[in-house]
Amino acid sequence: FTQWSPHNINQNNYSNDKLIYLLLFLSSIAICYALFNLGFNFLKLMMPPIIITFLYPLIIKIHGNEYSLRKVPFLKIFLIAFVWGYVTLLAPLLYHDFNLDYVFFDSFFQRVLLILAISIPFDIRDYQYDTIKTIPNTLGLSESKFLAWSCLLMIDFLLIIDLINNVISFPYFLAIFISIELCSILIYYTHSNRSLIFYGVFIESLPIIMCLFVLAASFF
C-alpha cells in the first residue's frame, strides 16, 4: 500500500470516479425501493440528513461574498456524527415509535460521540492538504487526539452509569467497553503518514468490530 499524499489522493479520485457514480446510482435505486416499501413517514424522517447533504456543498454568493456550510470551521465532523447517529439509530427508532426516554437519548448521544472520535483520525490523515478548517489543522494533532479520547471517555462514563442502573447487562457493557478501548489505541497510533490499510481497514472496521463484540455478548 502506498502512503497517503495529495498526489495519490487526486490520482485515486480520478480513477474511482466511475465507481463513485455507480455507487450513487445503486444508492438511488435502494432509496427509491426503501421509500416505496416504508412509506411517506420514512421520507419525512429522512429529510434532515437529505437537507444537510444538499446544503453542505452548496455555495451561495451574496454581494460578491461566498457563503457555504463547508466554510464553517469544525462543522464537517459534527455533521458527519449527527447524520450517522440519526440515520443508523434515531430515525429507525422514531419510525418504530420508540419512547423518547433516557435510553433513547443516551444511545443516540453515545453513537454521536463514537462517530466523532473515530472521524478525527481521518481529519488527521488529511490535515496537511485540507482546504477547510478542521480540528487537526486548527488546534493541532495532539489536541485532536485528546478530543477524540475525551469523547470515548464520556462514553465509558455513560456505560458505567447504564450498567449501574441495569440499562445494559454486563456482557454488553464489556463488549462495548473493549471496543472503546480498541478505538483509543488506534487513535493513539494515528498520524498523517499511516498507510491505506490502517485507515481503510483498521479505522473503518471499528463499528463492525463493535457490532461483532455485541453480537458475541448476546450469547452470554
Side-chain angles (χ1 to χ4, degrees):
F1 287 91
T2 57
Q3 299 292 322
W4 284 90
S5 68
H7 173 73
N8 289 332
I9 293 294
N10 290 332
Q11 190 176 32
N12 289 334
N13 284 341
Y14 288 127
S15 63
N16 290 331
D17 276 350
K18 292 183 179 179
L19 177 60
I20 292 172
Y21 290 132
L22 175 62
L23 291 175
L24 287 173
F25 175 72
L26 294 176
S27 299
S28 300
I29 294 176
I31 291 171
C32 291
Y33 177 80
L35 290 175
F36 179 78
N37 284 275
L38 298 177
F40 184 68
N41 187 41
F42 174 76
L43 177 61
K44 289 193 298 181
L45 288 172
M46 294 307 296
M47 286 309 296
I50 290 173
I51 292 172
I52 291 172
T53 303
F54 175 76
L55 291 179
Y56 186 74
L58 197 64
I59 299 176
I60 300 175
K61 292 185 178 181
I62 301 177
H63 302 300
N65 296 319
E66 293 185 348
Y67 299 92
S68 172
L69 289 177
R70 282 181 57 85
K71 294 186 177 182
V72 179
F74 314 140
L75 181 61
K76 181 186 74 171
I77 195 170
F78 291 99
L79 288 179
I80 290 172
F82 171 77
V83 168
W84 268 86
Y86 184 89
V87 172
T88 62
L89 182 67
L90 203 59
L93 293 179
L94 290 172
Y95 181 80
H96 290 286
D97 296 322
F98 274 70
N99 293 326
L100 300 179
D101 54 11
Y102 165 79
V103 177
F104 182 93
F105 291 106
D106 176 56
S107 300
F108 176 67
F109 187 50
Q110 289 188 41
R111 184 73 57 93
V112 170
L113 288 173
L114 175 66
I115 300 302
L116 270 175
I118 64 176
S119 295
I120 286 177
F122 294 101
D123 280 346
I124 291 176
R125 178 196 66 189
D126 300 337
Y127 89 102
Q128 292 178 321
Y129 49 87
D130 229 329
T131 57
I132 62 176
K133 283 191 174 182
T134 62
I135 295 171
N137 66 21
T138 304
L139 301 181
L141 301 186
S142 298
E143 290 77 5
S144 301
K145 290 185 179 183
F146 278 115
L147 177 60
W149 287 328
S150 298
C151 291
L152 297 178
L153 184 60
M154 281 191 280
I155 297 175
D156 285 338
F157 282 135
L158 290 171
L159 285 173
I160 293 172
I161 293 172
D162 291 343
L163 180 64
I164 293 172
N165 293 325
N166 295 318
V167 174
I168 58 174
S169 64
F170 182 75
Y172 283 112
F173 166 82
L174 193 60
I176 300 174
F177 185 83
I178 292 173
S179 303
I180 295 301
E181 303 319 304
L182 179 59
C183 292
S184 300
I185 294 171
L186 288 178
I187 289 170
Y188 175 81
Y189 286 105
T190 297
H191 59 72
S192 59
N193 294 322
R194 285 292 181 187
S195 65
L196 283 171
I197 193 170
F198 179 82
Y199 291 101
V201 176
F202 295 138
I203 301 293
E204 290 276 12
S205 65
L206 284 172
I208 299 174
I209 292 172
M210 177 177 286
C211 178
L212 293 175
F213 282 169
V214 170
L215 287 175
S218 65
F219 294 101
F220 296 94

